[in-house]
Amino acid sequence: MMRRMDQGARPKRTARTNGMVLASVSLLALTAAGMAQAQESSGPGFSIVIGAPSEPVPATAAPAAAPEVPAAATVTATEPPPPAPAIEEALTPAEPIVPPLPVGVVSPEMENPATIALETDENGITPVEGRLRFDRPGWFWVGQADLTYGRERGGEDYSLGRLAGYTKGMTRSGYTVTAAIDTGEDELDELLDGLDEKNPRQVLDRIAPDDVYPTFGDDSTSYADAPTSGRIYARVEKDGSHVMWGDFHNAQDDPHQLVRSDRTLYGAQALWRSAEETAAGEPRHVVSAYASQPDRLMQRDVLRGTGGSVYFLKRQDILRGTEVVTIRWRDSTSGRVIRSQRLVPGTDYDINYFQGIIDLGIPLTGSASDGGLIVDNPLGDDLVDLVVQYEYVPTTGDVDGMALGARAQSWIGETVRLGVSAQKETTGIADNRLAGVDLRWQRSASTWLSLDVAQSEGPGFGTSESLDGGLEYEEDDLLSAGRRGLSANAVRLEGRADLAELTGGRAQGAIGLWYDDKQEGFVSADDDIDRDQTDWGFLGELALGPASTLTFGHKDFRRDGGEKRRDSRLGMAHQIAPHWTLEGEVAHTDRLDPDGDDEAQGQRTDLGARLTYDPGRGYRLWAFGQATASHQGGLPRNNRAGLGAEADLSDRLSAAAEVSDGNLGFGADASLRWRGENGSTWVSYRMDPMRRFDRTDFEGRDRGIWVLGAERQLGSNTTFRTEQTIDRFGDRHSRGVTHGLRYATEGWQVDGTLTNGRLADPDGGEIRRKGISLAAAFSDGDALKTGLRGEYRTDDGDDDDRDRESWGLSGHLRYKLSEEWRLVSDLDAIISDSSESALRDGRYIEGNLGLAYRPVSNDRLNMLMRYTYLEDLPGPDQVNLDGDEGGPRQKSHIFGIDANYKLNDLWTVGGKLGYRRAEVWTERESGSASVPNTAYLAILRADYHVMHNWDLMAELRTMRFKEAEVTEHGVLAGVWRHVGPNMKLGLGYQWGDVSDDLRSLDGRKAGVFMNVVGSF
């Protein structure tokens, strides 16, 4: 986290300069007059080469744009310019120059063209072409190490320390280095432990804030340049390669590889890409590896598409940015993933991390056609799922284990890629090892062949599945089929060929094939195989002429235990007249399932036809039918007939519908959408006659799913969106409603979402779910910035075991009262009553109000004030504010005021007054009694400072405990000797059990201490 200091309450010193270097990589100031010939000025690490001047330009002319950096030069990241002394030495300006903030990292040993603007008189500016050359790289760094060793009066030794720092820069060889560390103050032997423990505050903000004062009155801002869930971040990168320690995402470029990990982790990651590339622009060689000891668990939710766009995840308190959202099409028989599409946050979907809600940009249907004319499912034989993988912190216990992985791949020539991958996962219930080799031949994007061979051993994380958009998940999660000590192999061969590409245009069409063999216990990102299975097949189309196309396909699936299924089809499509196409197909299926019903056994041959009329005028009509020519065994007939249409009924109204009926039941898929100038309205209905077979406990009659939605632009600043899903699935009716409102104008943005769901559970009664999310933000430039966000979710069932309720609130206020006064306020709260969610019983509320006074006319005085309301009531298995699992709980009102006054260059005096009124619970059990705890704090402090020489300080502390009628006194005194500009050594003594942090219920160390502080 970097913190940028603006002058804010103090008037800024302005350095008058007679000219500027206008360049995209730096901003330098110089003084010159009448330069008629080329010359070079140089300093430590850089030089400026100036050529002959051109014609003067009037002073009123528009400033010249910064010159373009040539292709040979690169600007890669944030980096400071050379320091001010170097500039002054090289250019000798008439007045001191204050260098600007960091504006760019420049590759060392390179020159950049620049335009030098030289002020020659009051009426003109002479632009001079020059080159800005850096002979050495620049760096930005800041850091501090604080080590304290002491002995308490009882003779017990202690050692405390804190390391904090940040650096970024580029080496002479072109490596960009970013590193940061902040351990917080802790015992030396525990300084790097406890990277990210679970506590209620982390639900709202997983980056620990500075808990001293909300504002220091300096208008400072911050941004994250070192993303990390722990205390350390380091990254070294060059030319697309890097080595790092911090937060990273493992998503690979190819989402279909058997061996891959999509987790977001904290740990070490390395990636090397060769400078050599293929003709297609791919790196010739890539090697990557990662290692992590996660403090979190992975959750994988598979939600069948409902025709709607709102889906509820199983868990709340999702770790921000850890989700991977994918739409997956898979074969309904074998489970083979046919294709998948990874969604982009903010573009394809929005997510509410607190409530666990995914809102897709477009509705998602639950099935799709596999390309055949004859189908078992009228809405399509392929299943469509929304797969959401994310990370969460469990409510109980610690997360142990490791996540390790590595991959290496190389392109052999221009068309063959060889890869080797391995990973190990021992987090939580997972104890899985997975390794494999993949080979890919690729002529183009439409002609390729891939082979994956992999072996796994041990269980994975398992999967949670829902058929109704997340209102209800299967009672028992699908536990992993992998077992410890059981190795399982998988082989997958896939390919596709563009016949026109392979034959030079002599044939038109495409062929695809696959072979998939997996053993029982094989576990990967997409697979969890409970029985040996083999799946192979092919499909394709071949143009027989300008008006005729031959289609064909075959699938063969076998599973251990005697289950078999073989499906073949052969079809023809012919344009019988302009706008008219007739299709015909014959299909044969042969099925055997010893564990299935009689209706799942036998053979059947079906004939099908479809007639389509497409005049190309905004609508299309079709009629279709299929009939069973012969069947044997218990396999029923599959006769079906139906009609379909798609039409743009007007410029704003479009409709699509297909209805059919037959032996397997009534099927329908219909939608209507109206698009107006200010929004759209849609309604859809889906009736899947095969859905009832997805549940073994289905009772009643399936009457389908209705989805109704609308989006409106209400005026120029307000957007309203609503969607309602009604699912009448047998005796498990459900209803979900989502309303959303967004108001955005200059300065204001308001967002609100309301969700309401009901599920009729024949076993546990009705379950009612409600959720509210409200957010508002206002900004008036630098003068005022404020925002507030609230979240509420409740699940209420007739069965009390399913009841859960969670509240969340987060707000902030930044107000510039005047040039001397700053007001800052923030509020964070999380309240939960739950036993089945990631949010356990607990309450954490902290509100802060901070006020800073820094006079412009007298910078000797600085005053900071703070009021805090703290309600720290963690559950039995959660940590309190001090990080203790068994520590006390409290409700507190805390007030503090600090003031410092600089008497002269040597002496500074200050003081602090504090007040705390608290209720404290020493027992975690509910119903335990609390005791009042009221305290008054007073501190006087004096500092003596000799520049680069000595620092002396003394504090007198007193704290009065009202209820105990006890007054504690404390003394803190120390002397520090500066050793060079970056280190000081100190010796001191502290006595008395008085802490200056009234939020903490613990005391402080007492006795002699030695302190070493290094800073740069």
Side-chain angles (χ1 to χ4, degrees), residues 417-599:
R417 187 192 70 194
L418 176 64
V420 180
S421 304
Q423 64 185 46
K424 179 180 179 180
E425 185 70 70
T426 60
T427 307
I429 63 173
D431 188 6
N432 180 255
R433 293 156 182 81
L434 181 62
V437 178
D438 57 274
L439 183 67
R440 183 179 181 91
W441 172 80
Q442 181 165 317
R443 177 168 177 164
S444 68
S446 56
T447 301
W448 52 269
L449 182 67
S450 68
L451 173 65
D452 283 63
V453 180
Q455 183 181 80
S456 77
E457 186 258 311
F461 286 98
T463 301
S464 299
E465 293 189 342
S466 175
L467 300 174
D468 57 8
L471 289 174
E472 181 185 26
Y473 283 85
E474 297 295 324
E475 292 184 5
D476 296 323
D477 289 348
L478 299 181
L479 299 178
S480 177
R483 298 196 302 272
R484 291 178 176 86
L486 175 64
S487 296
N489 299 324
V491 178
R492 183 171 67 191
L493 176 69
E494 287 185 291
R496 188 182 188 279
D498 185 332
L499 298 181
E501 184 179 343
L502 295 178
T503 64
R506 292 187 298 274
Q508 301 290 328
I511 297 176
L513 59 87
W514 70 91
Y515 174 82
D516 195 282
D517 182 81
K518 297 183 176 73
Q519 294 179 341
E520 176 186 353
F522 180 77
V523 176
S524 69
D526 294 318
D527 301 293
D528 210 322
I529 307 301
D530 59 357
R531 286 186 289 170
D532 292 356
Q533 66 178 49
T534 302
D535 179 34
W536 67 272
F538 59 88
L539 53 85
E541 60 181 28
L542 176 64
L544 301 180
S548 300
T549 302
L550 178 69
T551 61
F552 53 88
H554 177 80
K555 297 189 294 184
D556 193 303
F557 175 73
R558 298 172 184 267
R559 181 179 285 150
D560 191 37
E563 182 180 355
K564 301 178 182 178
R565 176 165 174 171
R566 182 181 297 122
D567 295 277
S568 302
R569 60 182 177 88
L570 180 65
M572 175 77 74
H574 182 70
Q575 186 174 350
I576 58 177
H579 315 310
W580 290 90
T581 301
L582 178 63
E583 300 170 82
E585 187 175 85
V586 55
H588 179 78
T589 183
D590 187 352
R591 309 177 189 181
L592 175 63
D593 185 0
D595 297 329
D597 299 332
D598 291 341
E599 293 183 353

Side-chain angles (χ1 to χ4, degrees), residues 830-831 843-847 869-874 890-892:
I830 177 70
I831 303 172
R843 297 168 65 90
Y844 183 92
I845 304 173
E846 181 173 357
Y869 172 77
L870 177 66
E871 188 169 333
D872 185 21
L873 304 176
Q890 64 168 311
K891 287 183 180 179
S892 300

Side-chain angles (χ1 to χ4, degrees), residues 603-847:
Q603 300 178 5
R604 186 175 65 212
T605 301
D606 298 318
L607 302 175
R610 179 167 59 192
L611 179 64
T612 303
Y613 175 67
D614 186 359
R617 293 184 299 204
Y619 68 93
R620 187 166 67 99
L621 308 174
W622 64 91
F624 61 93
Q626 64 184 56
T628 298
S630 65
H631 67 106
Q632 298 177 3
L635 203 62
R637 291 181 176 274
N638 189 15
N639 299 325
R640 179 166 296 275
L643 299 171
E646 292 178 351
D648 293 329
L649 303 179
S650 68
D651 293 340
R652 298 183 177 182
L653 183 63
S654 61
E658 181 178 289
V659 294
S660 64
D661 200 1
N663 297 109
L664 299 180
F666 175 76
D669 188 359
S671 64
L672 184 67
R673 178 176 287 270
W674 181 83
R675 298 178 179 85
E677 295 180 357
N678 299 319
S680 61
T681 303
W682 60 91
V683 58
S684 68
Y685 174 75
R686 284 179 56 84
M687 175 62 214
D688 182 356
M690 308 302 293
R691 188 168 62 134
R692 64 184 185 274
F693 298 110
D694 291 332
R695 294 190 66 102
T696 58
D697 58 349
F698 176 79
E699 297 288 344
R701 180 181 175 185
D702 187 0
R703 299 181 182 273
I705 302 176
W706 286 91
V707 177
L708 302 92
E711 186 175 57
R712 288 287 185 275
Q713 187 75 29
L714 307 177
S716 59
N717 302 318
T718 307
T719 303
F720 175 76
R721 179 184 174 92
T722 182
E723 184 174 280
Q724 180 174 194
T725 301
I726 304 172
D727 189 352
R728 305 187 65 188
F729 183 55
D731 57 359
R732 312 183 75 87
H733 293 184
S734 64
R735 177 179 178 180
V737 182
T738 302
H739 305 291
L741 181 69
R742 169 167 292 184
Y743 172 80
T745 185
E746 184 176 356
W748 276 101
Q749 179 167 320
V750 180
D751 291 277
T753 302
L754 172 66
T755 59
N756 191 343
R758 291 176 178 267
L759 172 66
D761 186 346
D763 298 324
E766 188 177 64
I767 301 173
R768 296 166 291 277
R769 172 177 297 171
K770 296 179 181 179
I772 301 174
S773 175
L774 295 174
F778 175 76
S779 176
D780 184 16
D782 295 331
L784 174 63
K785 294 181 180 180
T786 184
L788 182 66
R789 184 177 188 89
E791 304 275 0
Y792 172 76
R793 173 170 166 172
T794 177
D795 288 359
D796 181 18
D798 296 337
D799 182 354
D800 293 339
D801 292 339
R802 302 190 183 189
D803 291 354
R804 63 185 69 167
E805 187 174 37
S806 301
W807 293 82
L809 190 65
S810 181
H812 69 276
L813 170 67
R814 306 287 186 271
Y815 186 34
K816 182 178 179 180
L817 298 171
S818 68
E819 292 299 324
E820 299 177 330
W821 290 91
R822 300 291 185 275
L823 176 67
V824 172
S825 178
D826 61 71
L827 173 65
D828 289 328
I830 177 70
I831 303 172
S832 178
D833 296 312
S834 174
S835 60
E836 294 190 46
S837 168
L839 296 175
R840 297 276 288 191
D841 293 349
R843 297 168 65 90
Y844 183 92
I845 304 173
E846 181 173 357

